[in-house]
Amino acid sequence: YGDFGHVVATADSQGRWTLKNIPDGPYTLHVRPPEAYEIESRGDAGEGETDETPAAPAVASGDSGAGGGDVNEVRAAAAAALAARRARKKKHTPTLVEIEVAGGDLRDVSVELNEGAQIAGTFTFEGDRPPPHFWMLYARRVGPAGEEGPSGVAGPEGNNFLLEGLAAGKYFLVPSLPPDDADGGLYVKSMTWKGRDLLREPLEVAEGEAVEGVSIVFARGGPRLRVVARAAGDKGPVRVAHVFVVPPDAPHAASRPRSFQCTTGGDGSCVVTAAPGDYVVIVSRRGLAAEELARRAAGATRVSLSAGETETVEVTVPDK
């Protein structure tokens, strides 16, 4: 990549590729494995969907309009599709390679793609209401200082999920729910693997490792917090302020699965649905990196949220 834009090449059947007319300078090669472009043929994918396209909506007991037999058939089909995906050769991980072009052709650049890891598990929804028809699960890779790296994404398949093609490292699993379900009080109650609390600590995977048995439990009745952002001095409402509602014990990347965010509207307010517990409310006119969130947490407004309740808190937005 350079100031002139970027150049793309596709490797042939022998893995050979050529990039032409490259000016001198430093570059980063972004190498994506062929699996990222293949069309999925599994039963839950529609025409034109790729590996990165969400799977079919989840169906669980209690869904309106579906009989028990239909639900069981859908679950069986989803389980079979998932088993087939696990059994096939694991996806490779995208790779970045730094190169320097100087005074001529650069030949014999070798790029090796590693076998990707997998994270698989199940999810359940507590309560009588049917689960949402669509949600996503993200695997956010984090480094030693909390910085984020390449991530993975998956949609539900029946009552199961499978994240593939992950590079070795530590990941936080972050479910993303539709706004209407979050507004209805739906939140992540627990996320565990072999007795470990994945809401508080990351899951580490090795190259090519298959981690199975992750359990995610959703519940309803989560508290709602309305945050009103006001400017320092005149106390007028601040539009497009970034609100971060994070646990006080870990206001950095490690708390991401337990963190909640929203952006204020014209009246200077926004609402988040959170899990019950204690939080600090950090407001900024811009996005904040993990280190800055941790620094501001010490003097941030604290709130305690209980299930089924709605709280309102006013906060002053710093000028910077």
Side-chain angles (χ1 to χ4, degrees):
Y1 283 78
D3 292 338
F4 66 97
H6 62 273
V7 177
V8 178
T10 301
D12 62 18
S13 60
Q14 303 300 315
R16 296 171 298 195
W17 50 272
T18 302
L19 296 172
K20 299 180 179 179
N21 302 319
I22 308 297
D24 289 354
Y27 296 90
T28 301
L29 295 178
H30 296 244
V31 185
R32 298 189 69 190
E35 299 96 314
Y37 303 95
E38 291 176 355
I39 300 298
E40 280 286 88
S41 59
R42 66 182 193 271
D44 58 343
E47 182 180 354
E49 287 184 316
T50 66
D51 268 353
E52 298 179 340
T53 302
V59 177
S61 58
D63 280 358
S64 59
D70 294 336
V71 171
N72 290 333
E73 289 177 5
V74 172
R75 285 178 172 171
L82 194 65
R85 290 178 63 194
R86 293 185 188 182
R88 75 186 184 192
K89 186 177 180 180
K90 291 188 179 70
K91 291 182 179 180
H92 292 86
T93 61
T95 300
L96 303 181
V97 179
E98 303 297 331
I99 62 172
E100 179 80 25
V101 178
D105 293 342
L106 188 62
R107 301 182 180 276
D108 299 325
V109 176
S110 178
V111 180
E112 181 176 335
L113 298 181
N114 296 322
E115 188 178 66
Q118 297 179 346
I119 300 177
T122 60
F123 63 91
T124 56
F125 290 85
E126 294 184 349
D128 297 330
R129 290 176 55 189
H133 289 288
F134 179 78
W135 63 278
M136 300 298 294
L137 179 65
Y138 296 87
R140 303 290 191 191
R141 187 183 179 196
V142 293
E147 70 276 8
E148 289 193 3
S151 302
V153 61
E157 300 183 62
N159 286 83
N160 306 279
F161 66 85
L162 175 62
L163 290 153
E164 299 179 279
L166 301 176
K170 295 182 179 180
Y171 291 85
F172 289 103
L173 303 184
V174 187
S176 177
L177 298 168
D180 54 340
D181 284 288
D183 291 343
L186 188 63
Y187 68 97
V188 180
K189 181 178 181 180
S190 66
M191 189 186 306
T192 57
W193 180 69
K194 293 186 176 181
R196 293 172 54 184
D197 184 359
L198 300 185
L199 291 177
R200 293 180 174 271
E201 61 179 307
L203 177 60
E204 185 169 7
V205 297
E207 179 184 330
E209 182 181 9
V211 175
E212 300 190 0
V214 174
S215 174
I216 303 176
V217 179
F218 296 91
R220 285 190 167 85
R224 291 160 56 89
L225 177 65
R226 178 173 178 264
V227 180
V228 180
R230 299 198 178 280
D234 63 11
K235 299 297 182 182
V238 178
R239 182 177 177 273
V240 195
H242 300 274
V243 177
F244 305 87
V245 181
V246 300
D249 59 326
H252 46 74
S255 66
R256 177 174 293 277
R258 298 185 293 138
S259 300
F260 307 90
Q261 300 179 27
C262 66
T263 302
T264 60
D267 64 349
S269 73
C270 63
V271 177
V272 298
T273 298
D278 296 326
Y279 297 90
V280 293
V281 182
I282 304 170
V283 184
S284 173
R285 296 179 185 270
R286 55 182 174 82
L288 297 177
E291 295 78 5
E292 183 67 9
L293 277 176
R295 186 185 70 80
R296 295 195 182 191
T301 301
R302 290 179 172 252
V303 295
S304 182
L305 304 179
S306 301
E309 296 184 355
T310 298
E311 301 285 346
T312 299
V313 60
E314 290 193 4
V315 292
T316 299
V317 184
D319 293 332
K320 295 182 179 181

